[in-house]
Amino acid sequence: MNEVVGRGTVLAGRYRVLEPGTTDLPGSTLWQGNDQILDRPVRVHLLHSGDLPQALDAARRAALVIDPRLVRVLDVGMHEDTGYVVTEQVTGPSLEQLVANGPLTADQARALVGEVASALEIARRRGVHHLTLRPSAVHVAPDGRVLVTGLALDGALLGLAGGDARTTSRADAVALVRLLHTALTGRWPVGGHLPPTPADLPAAPETEQGPVPPADLVAGVPNDLDTLCAVTLGPHVDGPHSPGEVVRELEPWGSIRTVGLSQAAETLPAQAGWPIVGAAVAAGAAAAAAEVEPDYDDGPPTEAFTPPQVQRQSVRTAFAEQATPGGHRPGTPPPATPARASAFGPVGGARGPMTPRPETPAPAGSPVPPQAPAYQPPTFVAPAPPTPAAYAPPVQQSAPPVFAPAGAAAAPAAFAPQGGGQPVDDGGLQWEDFGAAEQAAPRRRSDPTPVVLGIVVVLVLIGLFLAFRALFAGGGVDDDKAAPAASPTTTSTPQETTGTPGTTPTAPAPTAGGTPVIASIQSIDPADTDGEHPEAVDKARDGDPSTFWYTMTYKRNDFGGLKPGVALVLNLQEQSTVSSVKLQINGAGGHVQVRQTDAANPSGGTVLAEGTLAPETVLTFTKPVDTSTLVLWFDGLATAPDGAFRIELAEITLS
């Protein structure tokens, strides 16, 4: 126990240390504490050894990543020679405690690791990595929320911080797959730079090819999860290279069932009846074979409980819901706003004695005389004869302004005594005292109104001339280009254009509709209002075959029995005549239909063409149709180049 910080110590004048906890990281201790200002429980990590500045900096970077699945960092600092990191309280058992009584069901392992991978992908996009992901760093809260602790901090404490983005992203992806192996088998696959085997978990058996695959240890493990673990943890650098790729391998997943979480966290041994652990393995395996939801009637007999449905959240939707960068987090004081320097003094503040008041620009064409100081009758001295003429402008301010022609010198004379000469001495104040800029401004001003009016009149006359010429000229250049000239002895009439002898027939009327051009594409998923990867739909019409729109990956080519199909709604720029649709697919197999319908009924309407998907699929209609909307209805998945069932649509071409 640290001699400087112990039970009852108050850190930063706010956080009181209460009870010690347990941690598996060397050089640190964990305490339960209380925020005395907000009166809420917190967790306090005390850092005793290692590179403390680097560890505290890692905690500060982790505080910038906002996601409900990442434990929030509330405060970071030093207390004498001990560093401390204050985070929000963590409730609920860890994955290490959950699998101590038996592995999880396959669907719950998929959901739990998928949520962790989504959270780490959010952090990766902000340049922050975990690097020490392990079963003790993943908790399941009573509300079914997955909580990940130690982002960036734990890796810095073990000296694992640094490295290029590719290496660190791959390290987190491999750690996620190790976490999946543990959730499926209850055994920890030792390897890499991760901590040793947790005390409560046995090590996974290994061969020369790496850890034994989960399907060889536990019956009923789905083939895709078993293959993911075998390939990623094998001797070759294969499998996902980022948390986002792990999400793609695992989705879609369902909700995390939390029956039994109403009990206190200290009574974890009594929670062995949770559907997420232990006895549910056999029921989960049988349900996976029959592709039905497991029956969890073996749960606690105290009372009926309806598990809350936690909606699936993929990395795509989670990242879109993040707060704007720089947003303040609850309980964290906002940063001080730096003073903004300005050449015109402080914005919105009191004006100093030497700060110029901003001038309001005068309307175009208005005479702007120099702004002389306020008139002071007691100090005004001027010769009697020239006084009325010398100060004529103040008397004439209410009269309409008189504008002189461009280049004339009448404007300056308006503020001079009659008869010319020097400006009048008005008690020591002369016009020269206001500076050369104020004197030159009236001389440079000219009234643009006559020029603008003249241009407008000329344009109107030109427009009228062209309009009369088009109406009464008896056919212009455009008419001559639009149709062949008629015979000189024949008048072009509606009857003659139908084929009257002696008359040159006019060109046939153009076909209704223009060239079909796709204006936008909409993804429709009957099972999800968001559609399937709507952020990538424009890649199917960008003219670049190396980019593509794709669906999620499924176990079977019939969407795993989860939905009848998916659709892409093609909205054209205008009503056009379409006779065929050409698709460029990465893969082969599956089935597609072209339907004349809209987004409200994507699987309805008239089937214009259909066929099996191939690298280059051309669907030709029986007869051309005039439409502004087409729907591609995919009711069968193609086999992608990696052998998985999904559609990768590179380009759509209409003709």
Side-chain angles (χ1 to χ4, degrees):
M1 183 178 297
N2 191 288
E3 298 179 358
V4 177
V5 180
R7 185 180 283 105
T9 303
V10 177
L11 303 175
R14 176 173 183 173
Y15 307 103
R16 181 177 295 278
V17 177
L18 298 178
E19 297 294 335
T22 58
T23 179
D24 56 358
L25 290 175
S28 67
T29 56
L30 180 65
W31 290 78
Q32 302 298 324
N34 182 67
D35 184 346
Q36 298 185 115
I37 294 180
L38 299 179
D39 190 22
R40 62 179 177 182
V42 294
R43 294 208 329 174
V44 181
H45 294 258
L46 300 180
L47 315 180
H48 311 302
S49 61
D51 192 347
L52 297 185
Q54 183 176 1
L56 297 179
D57 179 68
R60 293 187 184 97
R61 289 187 290 108
L64 300 177
V65 184
I66 301 175
D67 187 85
R69 294 160 294 201
L70 297 174
V71 174
R72 291 186 303 153
V73 177
L74 304 178
D75 205 347
V76 177
M78 293 288 296
H79 183 83
E80 298 185 6
D81 294 333
T82 303
Y84 65 86
V85 177
V86 181
T87 67
E88 64 176 319
Q89 180 65 286
V90 177
T91 58
S94 66
L95 177 61
E96 179 180 353
Q97 295 170 313
L98 291 176
V99 299
N101 295 322
L104 310 187
T105 59
D107 62 330
Q108 292 295 279
R110 184 192 300 271
L112 187 145
V113 178
E115 293 292 325
V116 177
S118 298
L120 293 191
E121 175 64 12
I122 298 298
R124 186 193 68 82
R125 297 188 182 188
R126 298 297 300 271
V128 183
H129 307 273
H130 197 292
L131 300 180
T132 52
L133 192 63
R134 58 201 186 281
S136 61
V138 178
H139 294 253
V140 179
D143 60 357
R145 181 165 53 107
V146 172
L147 295 174
V148 181
T149 65
L151 178 67
L153 173 63
D154 293 357
L157 286 176
L158 296 178
L160 302 176
D164 60 278
R166 181 180 181 85
T167 302
T168 51
S169 297
R170 168 67 177 180
D172 278 349
V174 174
L176 285 166
V177 177
R178 293 184 184 277
L179 211 64
L180 177 65
H181 190 289
T182 301
L184 292 171
T185 65
R187 299 169 181 267
W188 175 242
V190 182
H193 58 272
L194 298 175
T197 305
D200 296 338
L201 297 181
E206 295 190 5
T207 64
E208 295 180 355
Q209 301 299 320
V212 175
D216 295 343
L217 301 175
V218 177
V221 176
N223 183 58
D224 62 330
L225 300 184
D226 183 68
T227 303
L228 177 62
C229 293
V231 170
T232 306
L233 305 180
H236 307 291
V237 183
D238 205 346
H241 282 73
S242 70
E245 294 183 11
V246 177
V247 172
R248 179 175 174 179
E249 294 292 339
L250 296 179
E251 66 179 357
W253 59 78
S255 60
I256 298 177
R257 300 171 182 83
T258 57
V259 177
L261 284 177
S262 58
Q263 304 176 17
E266 304 86 68
T267 62
L268 180 65
Q271 297 176 347
W274 287 7
I276 195 174
V277 297
V281 174
E291 292 192 310
V292 297
E293 287 294 326
D295 186 6
Y296 297 116
D297 292 339
D298 296 336
T302 54
E303 59 180 0
F305 183 84
T306 301
Q309 296 298 314
V310 182
Q311 185 177 4
R312 172 179 64 83
Q313 187 178 32
S314 68
V315 65
R316 163 171 54 85
T317 57
F319 192 67
E321 295 172 358
Q322 286 194 101
T324 55
H328 304 313
R329 308 176 76 178
T332 303
T337 303
R340 182 174 62 181
S342 173
F344 299 97
V347 179
R351 298 181 182 275
M354 300 303 294
T355 303
R357 183 181 299 276
E359 298 294 337
T360 302
S366 301
V368 183
Q371 299 295 323
Y375 174 67
Q376 301 292 338
T379 61
F380 173 74
V381 177
T387 299
Y391 296 94
V395 179
Q396 298 176 0
Q397 285 181 357
S398 59
V402 178
F403 301 99
F415 297 96
Q418 291 182 354
Q422 299 295 325
V424 178
D425 182 2
D426 52 355
L429 287 176
Q430 294 186 352
W431 290 115
E432 289 83 356
D433 294 337
F434 297 103
E438 285 78 4
Q439 289 186 5
R443 293 185 180 91
R444 289 195 301 267
R445 288 188 175 275
S446 61
D447 181 22
T449 305
V451 178
V452 174
L453 291 177
I455 294 175
V456 172
V457 171
V458 172
L459 292 176
V460 171
L461 292 177
I462 293 175
L464 292 175
F465 171 75
L466 295 177
F468 276 100
R469 181 182 177 186
L471 291 175
F472 303 107
V477 176
D478 294 338
D479 295 333
D480 295 337
K481 293 181 179 180
S487 173
T489 61
T490 307
T491 303
S492 177
T493 63
Q495 290 78 10
E496 292 167 346
T497 59
T498 60
T500 303
T503 305
T504 302
T506 59
T511 306
T515 302
V517 178
I518 301 175
S520 63
I521 303 178
Q522 180 182 358
S523 174
I524 301 294
D525 183 354
D528 189 350
T529 56
D530 291 341
E532 293 218 9
H533 295 287
E535 77 283 353
V537 293
D538 287 335
K539 296 180 180 179
R541 64 182 185 97
D542 60 358
D544 183 2
S546 64
T547 62
F548 52 85
W549 168 81
Y550 57 97
T551 65
M552 292 186 293
T553 303
Y554 296 86
K555 299 178 183 179
R556 305 196 310 255
N557 64 350
D558 61 348
F559 299 88
L562 300 176
K563 62 188 72 173
V566 296
L568 288 182
V569 180
L570 311 181
N571 299 310
L572 308 186
Q573 286 186 354
E574 60 182 356
Q575 188 85 5
S576 304
T577 300
V578 185
S579 59
S580 66
V581 177
K582 178 181 177 182
L583 307 177
Q584 296 184 35
I585 302 293
N586 297 333
H591 189 261
V592 64
Q593 295 178 338
V594 182
R595 294 177 173 268
Q596 187 175 10
T597 180
D598 53 21
N601 184 22
S603 61
T606 304
V607 178
L608 302 175
E610 60 181 319
T612 302
L613 294 173
E616 184 172 304
T617 305
V618 179
L619 304 172
T620 304
F621 304 167
T622 304
K623 61 180 181 178
V625 295
D626 293 334
T627 182
S628 61
T629 304
L630 290 175
V631 172
L632 299 179
W633 176 254
F634 298 93
D635 53 2
L637 293 172
T639 302
D642 59 358
F645 292 110
R646 65 175 175 271
I647 293 174
E648 296 183 358
L649 178 56
E651 287 298 323
I652 304 174
T653 306
L654 303 183
S655 59

